[in-house]
Amino acid sequence: MQLDALLHKAGLPATGCHVEIRRICFDSRKVRHGDLFVAIDGVALDGHRFIGDACRNGAVAIVASRPVPAPPPVVVVPDTRRALSALADAWFDHPARQLQITGITGTKGKTTTSYLLRSILETAGRRTGLLGTIACELLDTSLPAHTT
């Protein structure tokens, strides 16, 4: 996909550049030729420190939260974490738009309510998934939940 087309689908500012993007990457060690590198401000490390490595590894464009000197086009956004989310969503053609999501909050009964709701939906012929304190389930796959 071309950079400006991806940026447009993600609701990010255009660059006027039509370079072809092969993948989106936020780990400079995994960047290959044709990748878009997103520099994330981390807790321990700042991804902007690795823009040079990403360029040497073949990044053809950079998304950063501040202007940086780099040979490929640089897209400056206020929040690179949000930009990465928007870019991934656009890259995969907005998959969440095809999902109906229900959240259950409260003090007691969330697990019971979620399993009852899942049973009702499946009885009605709907395909379901469930993320809860007991397990993470999708269709016939169930993985234990390790944290609440």
Side-chain angles (χ1 to χ4, degrees), residues 35 53 86:
D35 290 357
D53 294 337

Side-chain angles (χ1 to χ4, degrees), residues 2 35 37 55 131:
Q2 290 192 351
D35 290 357
F37 177 68
C55 292
L131 302 175

Side-chain angles (χ1 to χ4, degrees), residues 3-4 6-7 12-17 19-29 31-41 46-80 83-84 87:
L3 176 60
D4 267 1
L6 176 60
L7 294 170
L12 297 172
T15 63
C17 183
V19 65
E20 191 69 23
I21 301 298
R22 206 175 117 256
R23 298 183 319 155
I24 302 167
C25 213
F26 61 92
D27 184 336
S28 63
R29 298 168 297 183
V31 170
R32 296 192 300 239
H33 181 71
D35 290 357
L36 169 64
F37 177 68
V38 182
I40 303 290
D41 290 321
D46 180 357
H48 293 77
R49 291 179 34 199
F50 302 100
I51 289 174
D53 294 337
C55 292
R56 283 187 288 281
N57 289 340
V60 294
I62 306 295
V63 174
S65 62
R66 57 185 174 270
V68 292
V74 177
V75 180
V76 178
V77 298
D79 183 339
T80 54
L84 178 59
L87 287 162

Side-chain angles (χ1 to χ4, degrees), residues 127-146:
R127 296 182 345 174
T128 67
L130 187 141
L131 302 175
T133 56
I134 295 174
C136 298
E137 301 178 2
L138 178 62
L139 304 176
D140 295 329
T141 303
S142 180
L143 302 171
H146 297 290

